[in-house]
Amino acid sequence: MSVFKRIKDIVNSNINSLLDKAEDPEKMMKLMISEIDKAIIDTKASTSGKMADLKSVEKRIADTEKAVSRWQERTELAIVKGSDEMAKEAIKERKANEELLSSLKNDRALLMAEVEEGKKELETLNEKLDETKKRLETYVPKKMEAKSKAKVEKPKAEPKRDTRFEEMENRINRLEAYRELSKKTQEPKKEEKTAEEKLEELEIENEIARIKSEKGINV
């Protein structure tokens, strides 16, 4: 789950509407600012981590692409030298690297999406933080002015609080400070199946025959 989800009720809310229902708007705004600050720190940390992971995956992709080319060259060299057994091993190594390359490219796509999501979340969080701070800056002076001009009068009965707002306040008070995003570190395990192995052997034999034909080597 995204770090941003922890305070989505605040970010998606209308600040004025929330404060109109709050018993202590100033306290509410300060709490919101504190929680948004924490979410910004968390989001920056997780996004930076994803960017570092993306850089690492990019390097592995480049290295694996070179490995695929290298094993293809070794396959052809082994065939030219008349060593079909070595060619078979080289083809297996190339195929293994091709599978790894496909997995790495999937990881890259996921990381790129997560990095972009993190950047958008940071932008939204900062906008809401600025909005709340400005609202607090204008509220405090007005509050002080109202107190200085207050007249002694019978206090009016407080309106009944909105149950939904009370639930939101409770959720805000229960928000966790930090949450680390899990990283994908495990590569998919390759399941060995007898039928697949047999088909792979046939593919390898066909590839060796094709390369021999291309190079004019008698099969």
Side-chain angles (χ1 to χ4, degrees):
M1 180 182 292
S2 169
V3 175
F4 184 58
K5 299 299 184 185
R6 295 186 302 129
I7 60 166
K8 66 178 181 179
D9 288 335
I10 297 177
V11 174
N12 293 332
S13 68
N14 180 289
I15 292 180
N16 290 331
S17 177
L18 281 177
L19 298 179
D20 287 343
K21 300 175 183 178
E23 287 185 345
D24 189 340
E26 183 178 357
K27 180 180 179 181
M28 183 69 173
M29 282 185 282
K30 289 179 178 179
L31 178 59
M32 289 169 65
I33 289 171
S34 175
E35 291 301 333
I36 295 173
D37 273 331
K38 291 175 183 178
I40 288 175
I41 292 172
D42 250 2
T43 304
K44 283 183 177 179
S46 63
T47 302
S48 296
K50 294 298 179 182
M51 291 174 70
D53 290 343
L54 180 58
K55 185 176 180 180
S56 177
V57 169
E58 291 283 10
K59 184 179 184 304
R60 291 188 65 191
I61 287 175
D63 291 341
T64 307
E65 287 176 338
K66 291 178 181 178
V68 170
S69 297
R70 184 168 60 251
W71 283 110
Q72 178 61 24
E73 291 172 357
R74 290 176 177 176
T75 298
E76 296 181 8
L77 176 62
I79 292 174
V80 169
K81 295 297 183 180
S83 179
D84 286 3
E85 289 303 315
M86 290 184 65
K88 290 179 182 180
E89 293 302 318
I91 290 174
K92 289 179 180 179
E93 291 293 337
R94 191 206 69 204
K95 287 181 176 293
N97 277 279
E98 286 175 341
E99 291 177 2
L100 174 59
L101 182 60
S102 177
S103 176
L104 288 171
K105 287 183 176 180
N106 288 336
D107 290 344
R108 179 176 62 184
L110 290 173
L111 286 168
M112 289 176 69
E114 290 173 349
V115 168
E116 286 304 310
E117 180 187 7
K119 290 179 179 179
K120 290 180 181 178
E121 288 177 1
L122 280 173
E123 182 179 350
T124 304
L125 286 167
N126 279 302
E127 288 176 356
K128 186 61 68 170
L129 181 62
D130 289 341
E131 181 185 356
T132 309
K133 284 182 176 179
K134 289 178 181 178
R135 186 70 176 81
L136 180 60
E137 288 173 0
T138 59
Y139 175 80
V140 174
K142 289 180 179 179
K143 178 182 177 182
M144 297 302 295
E145 183 180 354
K147 283 185 176 180
S148 64
K149 295 181 178 180
K151 295 180 179 181
V152 178
E153 60 181 33
K154 184 178 179 180
K156 297 180 180 180
E158 294 185 0
K160 185 176 181 181
R161 300 188 69 201
D162 193 318
T163 303
R164 291 175 296 177
F165 178 69
E166 290 182 353
E167 293 176 354
M168 179 173 288
E169 284 187 312
N170 290 332
R171 287 200 299 272
I172 292 174
N173 290 328
R174 294 197 300 268
L175 290 177
E176 299 178 355
Y178 292 95
R179 178 188 176 92
E180 295 183 359
L181 296 177
S182 60
K183 299 180 180 179
K184 295 175 60 180
T185 57
Q186 296 183 346
E187 296 179 355
K189 296 182 179 179
K190 181 180 177 182
E191 297 182 359
E192 295 184 359
K193 297 181 180 179
T194 303
E196 290 181 356
E197 290 177 350
K198 290 181 179 179
L199 289 171
E200 183 181 9
E201 290 297 326
L202 288 175
E203 290 174 354
I204 291 173
E205 293 289 348
N206 288 337
E207 185 164 354
I208 290 175
R210 178 183 60 77
I211 294 174
K212 285 184 176 181
S213 176
E214 290 177 354
K215 296 184 177 295
I217 299 174
N218 294 328
V219 179

